[in-house]
Amino acid sequence: MPASPTFDDVAAAADTLDGVAHRTPIHTSRIVDEQAGMSLFFKCENFQRVGAFKFRGAYNAVSRLTAEQRRAGVVTFSSGNHAQALSLAARLHDTTATIVMPHDAPVPKVEATLGYGATVVRYDRYTEDREAIATDIATSQGRSVIPPYDHPHVLAGQGTAAAELFTDVAGLDALLVPLGGGGLLSGSLLAGVGLSPDTQVFGVEPATGDDGAQSLRAGQIIHIDPPRTIADGAQTTHLGRHTFPIIAEHVADILTATDEQLIAAMHLVATRMKLLIEPTAALGLAAVLANRDRFAGQRVGLLISGGNVDLTRFVSPTP
Ligand SMILES: *Cc1c(COP(=O)(O)O)cnc(C)c1O
């Protein structure tokens, strides 16, 4: 495993994912461009397998285990998109995944994970430590832990989405990437180093959970309490030891967006572009709309990270 991944690891991941992950489309909209005052390129990972970019990193990580490790299976402790991504990646490699999920995880997420053939182990999020449970399972069953972001092969796999965008759209001035634990951002930064060094790459995190911006300023990883936000894919409490150094070295800046701005951005792409994107995926669009002057007239890429919205909330009429 590379101690500190580079662009070469993203390029290798792209080879591994060729023909397995979807090469997702890039959408544009004249009406949205006019409103924003810039040219926007939406890299639509909401159309990726399992509905989010997480499939890329999970599949890449499983494929790089030794044959013996792969046979023993994998385990993780995420209840979000990574759970489904790792479950599918394991199934495609003819092995098994165990997912540690809280007792109060949303039923559709548990069912989707079970649907991909994974074993779900429940825990009490108020009294038990999910990472400790996953480590126990790894030790007793010989499984490899594949965490959601803090892993060289996971972040290299995530970087392949931005790599495709840089290959398909030349001359981007900026790329905005949703930021949770930083797997997607650090991978995108490595892709930029190799394919589009003149593009400024930004992270965008929820305004209530700006640990990334704090960490950048402090020069070390800052831990926060779980933030309250509808951007559930970015409700992380700290960057990773693999992701932080890459972000600190290469990122142009870290911006934030409020829940109100996320809802407005989701509404805009739903009405104008007919795209169904999840709140976390709207972080980039929300940030450019809130910083129009900074990006005015530029060619701006937006990494639309996923489309797994809770439809009962999205379409229910407000009273
Ligand atoms: C996981 C996730 C993110 C954040 O990715 P990190 O690698 O943790 O920074 C953003 N958007 C969606 C849809 C996600 O599932």
Side-chain angles (χ1 to χ4, degrees), residues 1-313:
M1 200 145 76
S4 175
T6 65
F7 171 68
D8 289 346
D9 296 293
V10 178
D15 284 341
T16 300
L17 291 167
D18 189 21
V20 182
H22 296 313
R23 188 173 184 109
T24 50
I26 295 158
H27 285 221
T28 57
S29 161
R30 228 169 279 170
I31 292 182
V32 175
D33 281 1
E34 264 167 38
Q35 282 194 25
M38 63 195 85
S39 300
L40 294 168
F41 300 86
F42 294 73
K43 175 64 174 171
C44 288
E45 287 294 298
N46 51 317
F47 296 129
Q48 188 49 266
R49 297 182 79 167
V50 311
F53 71 90
K54 290 260 181 10
F55 176 69
R56 296 173 182 267
Y59 188 91
N60 188 50
V62 175
S63 76
R64 269 156 226 287
L65 297 171
T66 65
E68 194 186 336
Q69 287 172 327
R70 222 172 10 249
R71 222 171 294 122
V74 292
V75 57
T76 198
F77 45 78
S78 149
S79 56
N81 289 329
H82 179 66
Q84 291 164 58
L86 188 66
S87 305
L88 177 58
R91 202 183 72 188
L92 293 173
H93 283 97
D94 287 321
T95 188
T96 59
T98 298
I99 314 292
V100 180
M101 280 192 175
H103 283 299
D104 57 357
V107 175
K109 288 209 162 144
V110 179
E111 283 180 350
T113 304
L114 291 169
Y116 288 114
T119 301
V120 173
V121 172
R122 313 301 286 271
Y123 75 102
D124 183 339
R125 72 160 95 215
Y126 302 102
T127 61
E128 293 179 291
D129 173 5
R130 62 182 199 162
E131 291 200 39
I133 296 171
T135 306
D136 281 350
I137 292 170
T139 310
S140 62
Q141 301 180 10
R143 292 178 183 275
S144 298
V145 180
I146 309 289
Y149 58 86
D150 202 14
H151 184 292
H153 293 316
V154 171
L155 73 87
Q158 317 303 31
T160 59
E164 291 172 7
L165 176 60
F166 289 136
T167 304
D168 292 348
V169 182
L172 285 177
D173 298 299
L175 171 66
L176 283 88
V177 180
L179 172 59
L184 185 60
L185 178 58
S186 57
S188 301
L189 288 163
L190 294 180
V193 168
L195 295 170
S196 194
D198 293 336
T199 304
Q200 289 205 299
V201 180
F202 296 80
V204 187
E205 57 190 354
T208 51
D210 69 340
D211 60 291
Q214 290 185 40
S215 303
L216 204 59
R217 280 197 298 273
Q220 61 182 39
I221 300 170
I222 301 292
H223 292 243
I224 59 168
D225 290 334
R228 277 174 181 271
T229 170
I230 59 167
D232 55 330
Q235 272 180 317
T236 43
T237 58
H238 58 91
L239 299 176
R241 69 193 166 88
H242 295 286
T243 61
F244 174 67
I246 298 168
I247 293 169
E249 184 176 352
H250 298 292
V251 80
D253 200 359
I254 296 179
L255 310 174
T256 61
T258 65
D259 280 3
E260 290 68 32
Q261 291 167 337
L262 293 178
I263 291 166
M266 288 170 74
H267 189 260
L268 181 64
V269 295
T271 51
R272 296 305 188 188
M273 300 176 69
K274 316 305 167 199
L275 289 178
L276 186 58
I277 72 175
E278 60 183 282
T280 317
L283 281 164
L285 178 60
V288 292
L289 293 175
N291 293 277
R292 277 170 222 245
D293 292 348
R294 189 163 180 174
F295 298 101
Q298 294 191 3
R299 288 163 67 78
V300 178
L302 298 175
L303 221 149
I304 303 301
S305 50
N308 293 325
V309 278
D310 182 346
L311 271 182
T312 56
R313 286 169 72 183

